[in-house]
Structures are given as structure tokens and as C-alpha cells.
Amino acid sequence: MAPTIAITGSASGIGAAIAELYASKGYNLVLSDSVASLLESTTAVIKSKFPSVGILSQQTDVTKVADILKLKDAALDRFSSIDVVVLNAGIHGNYRMSEEQGGWWGNPEGIREIFDVNMFGIVNGIHAFLPSLKEKAKSGETTRLIVTGSKQGITNPPGNPCYNASKAAIRFMAEQLSYELNATSVKVHLLVPGWTYTGITGAMSGMYNDDVAAKKPSGAWTPDQVATYMDQGISNGDFYIICPDNETTTDMDKVRMEWTMGDIVHNRQPLSRWRPEYKEQFAAFQSSKDK
């Protein structure tokens, strides 16, 4: 029997790329997204490319526990078991108000929406799918739970603070879950994309295609590159799957993350990397790591 992968946020971007990659491996697909029209078109494209692959496609609002439980139940009814779950659904948020209206902090409802999707969507997904993954893992088979985070949840750059906070929460939850499941055959992975040309970063929604590729900035990766890098990280047994891009190398990411943690260790002001008074210190730190 073919293995099964369930992916939230799979109508476009990284989720759609992961779906296509695993379809090429012969997996059954459980696809879900809140945007029904995009989900329908993406499902049709994948079906046309991989006609022998079993596909369940269901509109799902990850902020609603009942929705994601229905998705899990439908997946088990169709395919009997689930081997891999990718909790990928997320939004960047459009909640900033004018400075007179409070700026980043002037729209509590918009902030709540970000946490409902980015954080509680993950909580709901874990609640729905983890029991099935644990049950299958009892037989000794490895099952996997993959959570899509963000570098903004690690280095916390200025701007969009509540998106950063929601992704930081995801990181901590995934770390805790990995520790909790250490003695089981359920493996947890944190996927951290670099700059990737998706709907969140300005690309058109839907499947990545030649029209979208023509507009991609040279520094950004494609969703396919992220999916392939994730798959390699899983093969390596990595928990942290931190993707580079065409501008930022893995070594550059490591330097930035180390400096960020140093704010706490050395009692610097927070977000020191972007503060003018620390500019020379950070430049010297970078230079020391290049040697």
C-alpha cells in the first residue's frame, strides 16, 4: 500500500510543491486549503501529472478544530493510515494601521487572525493528526510531523512583530514535541524556508509555473527548491531544516542566529543587529566568522 502524506496550505507555494514532490514518489495525497478555487485547480494539475496517485482534496479552515478533524477522518477513511503530516498553512497578515491608529499594534483583530492561523492552526493540526501518527508508529514504522516555521521566528527582524512572534511560537512547540516524542518512531521536523517566491512574498497564488518564474526575484528560491531541500533534510534526520536562498547562505544564517542569541547572553539591547550603535560590533563579529 502506498504511503500517505497530508498537507495543510497545499493549494499554492511551498505546500503545493511538497505535494507535487511526494506525488512523484508515489505517495497518496491529502490536500487542504482554505481557498477552495485554488485548491481545486492545484489538485487538477497534480492529477493530470500523476494520474495513478490517490488524492483527497478538501477545503479546510485550520483555525477550526472541527474542520481539521474532518480532514483527518476523511483521510483515514480513504487511505486507512497517514505516514507524514505537513502543517504548512500560514499567513503573513495585513494588520498594520497608520501611526495615528496605533501602527503595528492598532489592530488586535488582525493580530489575533495571524495567531489563529499560524499558531493555533498548528495546535489544531497536532491535536487532530498526532494520535494517528503515534498509533502507526507503534508498529515500528517511522511517521513524521513537519511544521513550517520562518527565519523571522528565530532572528526576529524589525517589522511585522506579530508574524515573527507567531512563528517563534511554532518553533518552540515543534522543539517541545520533538523532545516529547524522542522515544517513539514519530519524528518531528521544523522546516524554515529562506526567501521563497510564494503568495506570502509577492508571487501569484497557485502552482508555480513559467509565468510566475518570469517574475521571480533573482535572490529568491522557488517553492520546488524548498520542497527538495526539506526532503533531503528529512533523509539526513535533521530537526532544523533551515533553507538558504540565492542571497543568504547557510553560513550567513548561522552567523545571524548566533548574534541574535548573543543579545541575551551578552545583555545587549534587543534586535541589536539592526541598531546603529551596534553596527560596528556586528560587522566585526561577521568578519571574525569569515576567517
Side-chain angles (χ1 to χ4, degrees), residues 96-261:
R96 187 177 188 180
M97 309 296 285
S98 68
E99 290 305 312
E100 292 77 14
Q101 294 173 306
W104 289 112
W105 311 102
N107 183 2
E109 290 304 316
I111 293 170
R112 189 169 290 108
E113 181 185 19
I114 288 176
F115 277 87
D116 279 346
V117 176
N118 292 358
M119 190 186 78
F120 285 104
I122 300 295
V123 172
N124 294 341
I126 293 169
H127 169 72
F129 286 105
L130 183 57
S132 299
L133 294 175
K134 290 170 76 172
E135 186 63 31
K136 181 157 191 179
K138 286 179 182 178
S139 66
E141 293 187 58
T142 298
T143 59
R144 300 188 186 278
L145 180 67
I146 301 156
V147 176
T148 302
S150 170
K151 291 179 187 178
Q152 288 180 235
I154 301 173
T155 58
N156 193 23
N160 212 342
C162 296
Y163 173 82
N164 295 3
S166 72
K167 290 297 187 176
I170 289 169
R171 170 195 155 197
F172 289 136
M173 286 192 293
E175 289 171 343
Q176 290 282 340
L177 192 59
S178 174
Y179 180 83
E180 176 187 326
L181 297 171
N182 185 55
T184 76
S185 294
V186 182
K187 304 305 176 187
V188 181
H189 307 272
L190 179 66
L191 173 63
V192 182
W195 181 15
T196 309
Y197 197 48
T198 67
I200 281 181
T201 58
M204 293 177 63
S205 297
M207 294 287 287
Y208 193 84
N209 54 40
D210 290 342
D211 290 337
V212 177
K215 301 172 185 176
K216 184 186 78 67
S218 60
W221 263 18
T222 66
D224 292 347
Q225 287 176 289
V226 174
T228 300
Y229 197 87
M230 180 199 80
D231 196 47
Q232 184 60 56
I234 289 171
S235 296
N236 293 342
D238 297 337
F239 170 81
Y240 299 103
I241 305 175
I242 300 178
C243 304
D245 54 52
N246 294 335
E247 284 189 352
T248 304
T249 66
T250 296
D251 286 342
M252 290 168 68
D253 275 330
K254 289 179 179 179
V255 169
R256 293 170 181 178
M257 291 175 191
E258 184 177 345
W259 177 269
T260 297
M261 291 305 299

